Structure formats: structure tokens, C-alpha cells
Amino acid sequence: MEQLALIMGLLFATVLAVGLGDRLKLPYPVLMLLMAMVMTAIPGFPEFAIDPELILPVFLPPLLFATAQRSSWQVFQLRWRTLLWLAVGLVVVTTAAVAGTAWLLIPGIGLPAAIALGAMVAPPDPVAVESVAGKVHMPRKLMNILQSEGLFNDAAAIVIFQAAVAATLAGRNLDASLIPKFLLGIVLAVLIGVGMGYVAKFVTWLVTAGVARTAVSLVVPFASYILAEEVHASGVIAVVVVALEMKRHARPEDAAERVSQANFWDVVELLATGLAFGLVGLDIRQVIHSEGAAIFDMVPSAIAVCVVAIAVRFLWTWFYLTTRGKLYQGDWRSKLKDVIILSYSGMRGLATLALALALPLTLDDGSAFPARDHILVIACTVLLVTLVLPGLTLPALMKILKAQDDGSEEKEAAHMLARRAQKAALLALKESELVSQLSPEQQNKMAKRLKSLHLELQGSGPVGGADGSAPAIPDEVRERYAKGRELMIAAQTIALDAARQEVLVARKELGMDPEVADHVLRQLDLRTMVMPSTN
């Protein structure tokens, strides 16, 4: 009961951190990390022990599923170069550089454990990045790069981490003999993800209750992960693939479920992040008690790892932007400014926390995991340096570099796409046989509303108030009709479905910003969900 009370307390502290962050205009992951640091100094906390083998199955499925739900196969197709360079390449290079540094500076760590440390601190956290960057009006091209990097970097780092930990536990080194097994695991994971995607599609077709469909989205990631791990495939890849498949199978008429699921997964990700920060704070507390003054001897190597991780990110980002020369046309000052911002925005978060908690206590032979306490100290130092410092100072850096964006490019793209969706809706309404069954007054009212659809689709917030209530619509549009109510709802459904299909087509076109298209799709989903009350 004491441990359950502690977990509830950590979740409640997470909610308070979010509320305090909103009031203070600070990113909540920064406050959560500060909360975890404070916990290490407060006396009287009960001992909390959780089996490290449970950490990955508990934390990874929701982390990976929530991240992949923000993406799609079309984003992979459009941004493959960024994914290859940053989500995979930068993770691999950072892992190698940090592993080499740790192997040289930490006595007895061993190369596999050093690689596990490198993978642990390699991936920036997309939630932390967006919570900070979104408040400072970062230029859209830089946000696109950061968001693309966050789509797959967790998965790449976790796969490396799991292989390194397995080698450490078995007392052997990573070598080329593992490559065939690794590739087979990826193939099996993809097949499992695709198969579970079709299972989820069938179940959501079979189940009509919206709550049950949301529950399916919770069960499927865990089931995919466990099934893949049972057949010695990559549970990480399976979860990412099933998330993308479920988004591909989404139907236009499932607007209400998509909105509720998006809100649900935001809550799950928030609570999982807060719980992970709290558990790491308790873990570090135990390290401090066991190591005592010896913990200060770990600080130099922790600082060295931070310097290496930041330097690698700076150099790799410079090389990446060099491959995109058309963006700068020889303007090295603009490129340097963007490299500084992207390097500064490499904030670590939930993935680093989960992997730190997942470090085993002992090896297969019963001996202690090499340098486990030292690895935890380094991981927390990297979190402190890459999350707290940028989180508190990025707004000032943006002002100094004069790099803040007014959002004009994104607004123009959203305006053009919203106009295109509105045109498709009006055309579908004109061609629908249902319109002829409405009275002239009802036809005029519906056409008037659809002609202002482009303005609604460019809205940046939820429909209506913050509580998700119905949107503020002119009184004449909200008048209820005694006759033809069902016909109006059906006609509006046809029109909004046509608008959605047009946006989905536009989303696949080269040059279209997927985030802009997703924004318009979310607005359409919200209008579809509240449509029956606005006839």
C-alpha cells in the first residue's frame, strides 16, 4: 500500500507540474526533472523497488505508440532523408562517441555496457522538444526537422540499447554474428506490426462503442510488444509499425474516436513521463546513499559525456544542413544560426529515463551490472544539462539570434489547404441528392456555413471552449429545424467527408507539410464530432 501511495503521489505531482508550468510559462518536463532532483534530498521517502525487466514492457509501448501516432507512412516517404540522417544516423554516431568516451573514462565498464549508456543518452525527446520549442515561435523549417527526428530516434536507440544490454548480461561482445539475427527480428517485428494493425482494424469494425475502441488503442501496443518479444523479434519496431498501420486504417467516419484517442494518449504520455521522472529520482536517491562522497568522482566523466553528446550533435547537424544547400544558397551565417538552435534543442526525456530505469541490477552469473550507478549518474547529468538549461534559456537564445518566426508561412499553407477542403465540401454538397430534399432555407443555411469552413479549419485551438464544448457559431446557424434534421446531418457528413478526403490526397503530395495537413484534419475531425448539435 505504501508503494501504491507513492505512485499516486508521483502522478499527482506530475499534474501539479503541468499546471505550474502553464502559469509560469515554463515547459513541464523541466519542472518534472527539478521535482525529481528535489526528491533526492527530502528525507523520509520509502524505499521503492521495481523489477528492471518490467520497465521496458510498461513504459515503451505507450511511449513509442504515442510518438508514432503523430506520424504516418507518408511522412516517412516525404522525410526519409531527415529520418536517415537524424533519427538513425545521429543516434548511431552519438552512441558510438559516448560509448568510446565512457569506455576510456570509466574503469571496468566494458564495451557493451558503454554502448548501452550511449544509446540511453542519444535520442532527444519529441515531447520535451515540442513543449519548449512551441512556446518560442521557432521557425517552421526547424520545427519540421526536430519533429521528423523525434519520429523514430527513440526506436533506433532502444534497439541498440537492448542488444547491448543482452550482450552485457551474457558476458560477450557485440559482433557481426548478431546481424542476421537482428535483421530477422526486424522482419518478424514488421510482420507482427502489420498483422496486429489488421487485427485492430477488424476489432474496431466489430466494436461500436467509442470507449471500447479507445481501449483497443491501449491494448494493441502492449500486445504487439509482448508478442514480438516472445518470438525474439523487436517489440520496439512492432509497436511503431502497428501505430502507423492503425493510422493508415483510420476511417473518416471515426472522427469522434480519433479525437478521444488523441486526448487519451496525451494523458497517458504525460503521466508516464511524470512517473518515470519520479522513479529515476528515487533511483538516484539510492545511488547517493550507497556511493556517498564517491559520487563526486563520477562528475568529471558525466560532464565529459555531456560535452561529447552536444559536440557530436552540433557537427552532425552542420553536415546534415550542408546536404540541404538549397535552403541557404551559400549563406553560412543563417546555417550556423540554425545549427546552434537545433543543437540547443536536443533535449533528452522519457526514453533516457525509461532506459536508465531498465538497467539490470545483476548479470546472468549473479555479479553486479558493470558501473550501473555510474551510468545512472551520467544519464541524470545529461538530462540536467540538455533539458533544464535549454528549457529555461531557449527563448532568450531565440531573441539573441533573432530567429523567432511569425508563423506566416504555416498560416499561408493552412489557408490554401483549408480553401481546397472547402471547395471539395461545397462540390460534394452540390452533387448530393440529399440536398434536393431540403427546404431552400435549409440549403442556404448549410451553404453559408460551409462557405465559412475554411476559417474554422484554420483555427488553432479546440472546437469551442477548453472543455471541448460546442463551437461558438452565429445564432442563425444554430437554429434548430423541426423538419429535415437528419437530412441536414447526412448532407453535412457527405460534405465534410469530401473535405477530409481532399486533405488526405493533398497530404501525400510532394511539398505539402504533413503537420499543416494534420492540423486541418484535426479541425475537420472536431467539426465532424460536434456536427449533430450545429444543424
Side-chain angles (χ1 to χ4, degrees):
M1 185 61 70
E2 192 177 58
Q3 292 190 347
L4 181 60
L6 179 60
I7 292 176
M8 292 300 105
L10 292 176
L11 296 180
F12 184 68
T14 300
V15 177
L16 292 180
V18 175
L20 184 61
D22 289 339
R23 289 184 176 274
L24 299 179
K25 307 298 182 184
L26 293 174
Y28 73 84
V30 173
L31 297 179
M32 289 179 181
L33 180 56
L34 295 176
M35 174 191 71
M37 293 173 59
V38 171
M39 288 175 56
T40 64
I42 298 178
F45 265 102
E47 294 291 330
F48 187 88
I50 183 171
D51 189 346
E53 291 186 1
L54 294 177
I55 293 297
L56 296 186
V58 169
F59 282 97
L60 290 192
L63 162 66
L64 296 168
F65 189 85
T67 301
Q69 281 279 286
R70 303 188 185 99
S71 182
S72 68
W73 291 117
Q74 287 75 28
V75 173
F76 275 68
Q77 180 181 356
L78 291 173
R79 299 184 178 176
W80 65 269
R81 184 178 288 105
T82 301
L83 289 169
L84 187 62
W85 268 90
L86 300 181
V88 179
L90 180 55
V91 166
V92 172
V93 173
T94 303
T95 299
V98 170
T101 303
W103 184 71
L104 290 173
L105 297 180
I106 304 176
I109 188 174
L111 187 57
I115 293 175
L117 169 61
M120 185 187 304
V121 301
D125 179 35
V127 175
V129 170
E130 291 183 19
S131 68
V132 176
K135 297 180 183 296
V136 296
H137 305 293
M138 184 173 288
R140 190 67 209 173
K141 64 179 180 180
L142 299 185
M143 278 299 296
N144 286 343
I145 292 174
L146 292 172
Q147 289 170 341
S148 299
E149 178 187 9
L151 294 177
F152 200 65
N153 59 358
D154 287 350
I158 293 166
V159 168
I160 298 173
F161 174 85
Q162 290 178 314
V165 168
T168 305
L169 293 176
R172 54 182 173 79
N173 288 321
L174 294 170
D175 53 44
S177 63
L178 297 175
I179 294 179
K181 183 179 179 181
F182 175 73
L183 294 178
L184 178 61
I186 291 178
V187 172
L188 288 175
V190 171
L191 293 176
I192 291 172
V194 172
M196 290 298 293
Y198 279 101
V199 170
K201 179 183 178 181
F202 173 75
V203 174
T204 53
W205 171 80
L206 189 65
V207 177
T208 57
V211 175
R213 290 185 174 186
T214 301
V216 170
S217 73
L218 176 63
V219 173
V220 166
F222 289 97
S224 301
Y225 183 90
I226 294 172
L227 178 60
E229 291 294 325
E230 283 296 316
V231 298
H232 304 290
S234 173
V236 173
I237 303 297
V239 173
V240 172
V241 171
V242 77
L244 297 174
E245 282 292 291
M246 289 179 67
K247 189 162 187 178
R248 183 173 70 89
H249 293 315
R251 302 175 303 177
E253 59 266 30
D254 294 336
E257 284 78 11
R258 279 194 298 275
V259 173
S260 64
Q261 287 178 20
N263 293 333
F264 170 78
W265 278 103
D266 285 343
V267 173
V268 170
E269 191 171 24
L270 170 66
L271 295 179
T273 300
L275 183 60
F277 272 109
L279 293 178
V280 164
L282 294 175
D283 226 356
I284 288 296
R285 177 188 179 88
Q286 295 176 8
V287 171
I288 292 174
H289 288 167
S290 63
E291 295 289 342
I295 197 171
F296 293 104
D297 297 333
M298 304 176 184
V299 173
S301 58
I303 295 176
V305 167
C306 292
V307 171
V308 168
I310 294 171
V312 168
R313 181 173 180 83
F314 181 91
L315 294 174
W316 192 263
T317 304
W318 177 273
F319 290 140
Y320 165 70
L321 293 184
T322 300
T323 67
R324 303 184 64 183
K326 294 181 180 179
L327 287 177
Y328 301 99
Q329 298 180 349
D331 186 0
W332 65 269
R333 291 182 179 86
S334 296
K335 183 167 71 172
L336 178 60
K337 182 190 301 183
D338 289 351
V339 169
I340 292 173
I341 294 172
L342 291 174
S343 302
Y344 210 70
S345 301
M347 304 160 199
R348 274 55 172 182
L350 181 54
T352 299
L353 291 167
L355 297 182
L357 292 170
L359 274 180
L361 297 174
T362 60
L363 304 181
D364 290 345
D365 60 6
S367 60
F369 192 94
R372 185 179 188 275
D373 289 352
H374 207 142
I375 291 174
L376 287 176
V377 171
I378 291 177
C380 289
T381 304
V382 172
L383 280 168
L384 182 65
V385 172
T386 64
L387 180 57
V388 175
L389 181 61
L392 297 178
T393 60
L394 183 60
L397 177 67
M398 298 289 289
K399 290 180 180 179
I400 292 173
L401 297 178
K402 298 179 180 179
Q404 290 180 310
D405 186 19
D406 59 3
S408 58
E409 293 184 7
E410 182 181 358
K411 291 177 181 177
E412 180 63 23
H415 173 75
M416 297 297 294
L417 185 56
R419 284 283 189 183
R420 182 171 167 179
Q422 175 183 287
K423 183 178 179 180
L426 289 170
L427 181 61
L429 183 65
K430 181 179 179 181
E431 296 177 349
S432 174
E433 296 179 357
L434 293 175
V435 177
S436 62
Q437 302 179 42
L438 299 174
S439 67
E441 182 182 5
Q442 290 173 325
Q443 293 182 28
N444 291 335
K445 295 274 184 158
M446 187 179 298
K448 182 177 180 180
R449 185 196 175 199
L450 289 178
K451 286 181 179 178
S452 64
L453 180 64
H454 71 284
L455 297 176
E456 297 182 26
L457 296 184
Q458 295 176 72
S460 59
V463 180
D467 59 351
S469 56
I473 301 174
D475 291 337
E476 64 270 14
V477 180
R478 295 185 59 85
E479 293 176 359
R480 298 185 178 274
Y481 297 92
K483 298 180 181 180
R485 181 176 185 273
E486 292 80 6
L487 290 174
M488 288 191 68
I489 293 175
Q492 288 183 76
T493 301
I494 292 174
L496 292 178
D497 282 353
R500 178 178 175 79
Q501 293 301 323
E502 185 65 25
V503 177
L504 288 172
V505 171
R507 196 182 193 281
K508 299 178 182 179
E509 296 174 356
L510 292 176
M512 171 58 63
D513 187 342
E515 272 73 30
V516 171
D518 286 344
H519 169 74
V520 176
L521 286 172
R522 284 192 294 270
Q523 297 299 320
L524 275 170
D525 284 347
L526 291 168
R527 267 85 193 159
T528 304
M529 185 175 67
V530 302
M531 183 182 58
S533 64
T534 61
N535 47 46

